[in-house]
Amino acid sequence: MPDYDLVIVGAGAAGLSLAHRVSGINERRARPLRSALVEPPPGPRTPPPRTWCFWETDGGPWDHLLTARWDDLSVIAPDGTEHRSSAAPYVYKMLRSTDMQAHVRDQSDRGRDDLRLTVGSVSDGPDHATVTARTPQGRTVHLTTRWVFDSRPTAPSERGRTRLLQHFRGWFVRASPGTFDPASAVLMDLRPPQPRRGVAFGYVLPLSDREALVEYTGFGREALSTQEYERALTDYCALTGLGEVEVLASEQGAIPMTDAPFPPRAGRRVFRIGTAGGATRPSTGYTFSGVCRQTAVVARALENGGVPVPPVPHRPRHLAMDAVMLRALDRGRVRGDDFFARLFAANRLADVLAFLDGGGHFGREVLMGLSTPVAAMSHTVLEHTWHGLCTRLRVLARDGRPSGGTPR
Ligand SMILES: Cc1cc2nc3c(=O)[nH]c(=O)nc-3n(C[C@H](O)[C@H](O)[C@H](O)COP(=O)(O)OP(=O)(O)OC[C@H]3O[C@@H](n4cnc5c(N)ncnc54)[C@H](O)[C@@H]3O)c2cc1C
């Protein structure tokens, strides 16, 4: 009998979300699921604290932990025109990783071990999988388990055609009282100078009337140096009229934006979750709500005794649309600032948010598509389809079977 029912590798957004759901299951079960949540001791592999923003309707599972929430959002076009509207039925929410971590770790779960280990390898097997890890003292340990959910960062299984990054640096700033409106956030301000390809924008997420997270973001092939971000943030604060602010803390990161696949199934008993398992929406970099959808499916299967394969939490047609959009941006066929300004100006905010989060109706998506630069996008659709066809034919000629099968 293996040591555990499941081992969760990594206590980031995906690992914590899954551990939280398993604790919920254990509250209802006489025999708890035995789980291990494995996170390395603080060091180079552990990411610094971060904030996760996402939108959903009111009454979500993390509402009591939110740092901030906004009912109204605005998008500012390159010419300074502001489109402010209610996000209803959604609320834009900010959760700090440290609050989520503390909550999940404090949650009583009879079945869970929280382990400080650095995982080296995971091996699959017909009856159980084995996670091999190192203790902080350097000792090797082996954990046997029915299922492994691995959220360690990984490379995609195949090269994508387009590989961009959403790269950013943000400042938590303090200004004089009354500077910010805590009811409303700026989701996308497209006024900063634009790169030749991709897009650059700022955003302002007020935490109170005098504190906010002000961020500078780019979609492009390369991240900037910290010095370049600092300059961009200083310029952006000047552009928004904030001028001199006290910087209390900062966050910086890069999220993959690519049409390369991140398959969640890595073996018979080994699965990937989170960014490693395809939870990141390629066109936006948003991951948190994809993670929540993914772990909900896993938890249902665990509770019902099924095979807990995490789904890719995005519809295939959305992934296809994202691939086209990323390609068009990367080839410089569309101007990113123009693309996003038109998208938000011509459509109801709730419809755009629904689409970007994997919901929405096909008919509305077609109308939304018409508000983007149609000729450039159609050109890219044709090129993309042609390329896909050629790749499939090449694989067929080489192997005698199509590519992209799921391992069983
Ligand atoms: C600064 C920043 C801000 C972001 N903001 C948002 C946002 O606002 N909204 C949104 O939707 N997305 C956001 N993202 C994208 C995404 O939500 C996050 O990257 C999210 O943390 C991804 O969750 P994850 O569980 O896949 O990976 P992570 O949260 O990075 O978790 C991976 C875990 O694996 C652990 N690990 C690594 N190596 C090992 C090992 N050898 N053994 C054991 N454990 C290991 C790490 O310590 C880490 O805890 C942001 C990303 C960054 C970098």
Side-chain angles (χ1 to χ4, degrees), residues 9-14 38-40 45-47 50-53 117-119 151-153 168 251-253 255 274-275 285-288:
V9 180
V38 182
E39 174 71 5
R45 282 200 175 81
T46 48
R50 55 187 67 168
T51 54
W52 289 307
C53 289
L117 299 171
T118 304
V119 171
S151 69
R152 288 174 299 162
F168 50 89
E251 70 168 24
Q252 188 168 321
I255 306 169
T275 296
Y286 281 103
T287 309
F288 193 81

Side-chain angles (χ1 to χ4, degrees), residues 161-162 196-198 221 325-334 380 383:
R161 284 191 81 208
T162 314
R196 206 164 57 80
R197 289 177 182 195
R221 288 188 187 182
M325 191 279 257
L326 291 178
R327 187 82 186 155
L329 266 187
D330 189 42
R331 305 304 287 182
R333 292 205 185 108
V334 294
T380 313
E383 180 221 30

Side-chain angles (χ1 to χ4, degrees), residues 53-65:
C53 289
F54 54 99
W55 54 90
E56 61 178 7
T57 51
D58 245 338
W62 305 107
D63 278 9
H64 60 295
L65 290 182

Side-chain angles (χ1 to χ4, degrees), residues 286-304:
Y286 281 103
T287 309
F288 193 81
S289 48
V291 156
C292 295
R293 289 197 292 278
Q294 199 171 52
T295 59
V297 173
V298 169
R300 246 192 325 271
L302 286 171
E303 188 157 25
N304 299 333

